[in-house]
Amino acid sequence: MGEVVLRLKDATYRHYVHAPSTFKPWRRILGQGIFSANLELKKGSILGLVGPNGAGKTTLLRMMAGILPLQDGSARSSLGESVSTLTDTELRQKVGHMPEQVRWQGKKTVRNALMEIAEMRASSESRVDGLLKLVGLQSRVDSRLSELSQGMRQRLTLAAALLGSPKILLLDEPLNGLDPVAAAAFVLLLRKLTEKGVSIVISSHQVEGLVEIIDRLALMHRGQILAEGTMDEVAQQLNLNKKTEISGIGTAPDMNTFIEDEESVKIEQFSEHWQVLLEKSRIGLLQEMVNAGIEITSWIERPPNVIEMLCAATGQSVEDVGLEVTSTSVMPLRTFRGEEE
């Protein structure tokens, strides 16, 4: 999984927005977009692209798919020791793109709809039948598009993205609208693709369960990639340590007896039990609490989660990261621990 199939170097694309003036009613200026993105995609791996709504995830995927041209920077592919710069046309040939929503409607059958797209991709009839089998739609080839469930529509969109045998697959919010069973089946399908050497990028603002799917993580905010790597690497980049979760029965203990720094302790009291979250633990703390007669039911050390990483990378709270709306007329700024860089 070490081979780099796509490397973005200072890749930039900013949308044009209308900024009319008295004498120039059609004037446009550069607004939000992707600014100087650096990213590596490794063969047979799944990269999770995470950020709040408006972070630029969809724009970045469209750049990687060759739909939006790079205004600056480059997209490169490595094959052994050979490195080549990819044009937009070459990207479209190399990459399969699954957008967030495709409205499959009408009386057309599943097979006929996919065959029409296959003709544009110069794919064979046998390739279409093979993909329908791969995504689990073999029994629905003659079903009308309007009869498909949301999960089936997602599978059909995936089949369309796989036409042309792409080496890279870009998925924009692929699990939206799927029930847990359909989502689990979809994830198993993605794993089959990675075993065949396909590299996958999953863009999502819903982080629940994403950690179990991905091999690497990229955090996005205001059109920039703030951190990228494995979960452990990203946590290390952001100086985040494991936290200790302690649960017990009855009334929550006075943690000031055991921990000197009050800011590193979060206590929640429920009707019959309590929970304590420690930013830092120490050797011997568990024994001290047990000796003090505190009834502990669980003691768990957990790594920082994706939301905590995103907050650390932007220097903002969960509410600020999730709800912030940025002006479209300014260059996206990167913030790190509260300071603009």
Side-chain angles (χ1 to χ4, degrees):
M1 270 193 348
E3 181 182 344
V4 177
V5 295
L6 182 64
R7 177 182 287 109
L8 295 182
K9 177 66 175 176
D10 296 328
T12 299
Y13 178 89
R14 295 176 62 194
H15 298 280
Y16 281 95
V17 296
H18 289 289
S21 61
T22 303
F23 300 105
K24 296 181 179 180
W26 306 110
R27 176 173 171 263
R28 297 194 305 167
I29 62 174
L30 290 171
Q32 275 189 321
I34 303 299
F35 180 71
S36 193
N38 292 285
L39 187 66
E40 288 187 350
L41 184 59
K42 300 182 182 296
K43 182 179 179 180
S45 67
I46 299 180
L47 172 70
L49 196 61
V50 176
N53 287 328
K57 301 185 298 296
T58 296
T59 299
L60 181 60
L61 290 185
R62 289 174 178 172
M63 291 168 61
M64 296 172 70
I67 299 172
L68 296 177
L70 298 186
Q71 296 169 344
D72 198 4
S74 63
R76 298 179 179 179
S77 177
S78 301
L79 184 60
E81 297 181 356
S82 175
V83 179
S84 59
T85 300
L86 301 173
T87 64
D88 297 337
T89 301
E90 290 171 332
L91 279 173
R92 288 192 289 270
Q93 294 172 346
K94 191 182 186 71
V95 175
H97 180 222
M98 179 179 172
E100 181 176 358
Q101 287 188 348
V102 177
R103 302 187 183 281
W104 299 102
Q105 295 291 339
K107 297 181 180 180
K108 194 175 297 181
T109 66
V110 168
R111 191 174 187 278
N112 288 341
L114 196 58
M115 278 298 301
E116 289 184 358
I117 302 174
E119 290 179 7
M120 293 184 283
R121 296 285 286 180
S123 294
S124 65
E125 189 173 342
S126 60
R127 174 66 177 167
V128 169
D129 292 334
L131 285 176
L132 289 173
K133 181 179 180 180
L134 177 66
V135 301
L137 289 177
Q138 190 177 23
S139 62
R140 304 303 298 267
V141 293
D142 295 322
S143 298
R144 295 180 177 182
L145 296 177
S146 56
E147 298 173 352
L148 301 180
S149 66
Q150 176 63 20
M152 293 176 185
R153 289 188 174 96
Q154 292 288 72
R155 288 169 178 262
L156 181 55
T157 304
L158 178 60
L162 289 171
L163 286 170
S165 303
K167 297 179 180 179
I168 299 170
L169 186 60
L170 310 179
L171 310 179
D172 197 351
E173 303 288 356
L175 303 181
N176 273 4
L178 298 186
D179 60 70
V181 175
F186 196 88
V187 170
L188 287 176
L189 179 56
L190 297 184
R191 282 298 178 192
K192 288 182 181 179
L193 292 173
T194 60
E195 291 172 2
K196 297 177 181 294
V198 178
S199 304
I200 299 175
V201 179
I202 299 179
S203 166
S204 180
H205 67 276
Q206 299 178 359
V207 298
E208 292 185 9
L210 190 64
V211 175
E212 300 176 1
I213 304 173
I214 63 175
D215 302 304
R216 299 177 70 84
L217 174 71
L219 302 178
M220 284 198 70
H221 189 54
R222 291 185 177 183
Q224 293 184 317
I225 298 174
L226 305 184
E228 188 272 333
T230 65
M231 292 289 290
D232 289 340
E233 289 171 349
V234 172
Q236 187 175 8
Q237 291 173 34
L238 300 173
N239 294 320
L240 293 175
N241 300 313
K242 291 183 178 180
K243 296 184 179 181
T244 303
E245 290 183 352
I246 312 171
S247 299
I249 298 174
T251 303
D254 180 9
M255 295 303 297
N256 292 332
T257 307
F258 308 98
I259 302 294
E260 296 180 358
D261 186 0
E262 296 182 4
E263 295 182 355
S264 66
V265 181
K266 180 181 179 182
I267 301 176
E268 289 186 275
Q269 178 67 59
F270 303 96
S271 57
E272 297 181 355
H273 70 283
W274 50 267
Q275 188 174 66
V276 170
L277 179 64
L278 301 180
E279 297 287 343
K280 295 180 180 180
S281 184
R282 58 180 173 79
I283 298 175
L285 177 59
L286 175 59
Q287 188 63 52
E288 290 179 19
M289 295 181 69
V290 171
N291 292 341
I294 299 172
E295 189 170 354
I296 297 174
T297 57
S298 68
W299 182 287
I300 302 172
E301 283 194 351
R302 67 166 179 82
N305 59 40
V306 176
I307 294 177
E308 291 168 341
M309 291 180 182
L310 192 58
C311 291
T314 60
Q316 297 176 319
S317 66
V318 175
E319 293 79 9
D320 290 336
V321 168
L323 301 177
E324 181 182 6
V325 178
T326 312
S327 169
T328 59
S329 61
V330 297
M331 175 74 78
L333 297 177
R334 172 177 176 175
T335 57
F336 190 82
R337 299 187 180 177
E339 295 183 1
E340 294 176 354
E341 294 188 331

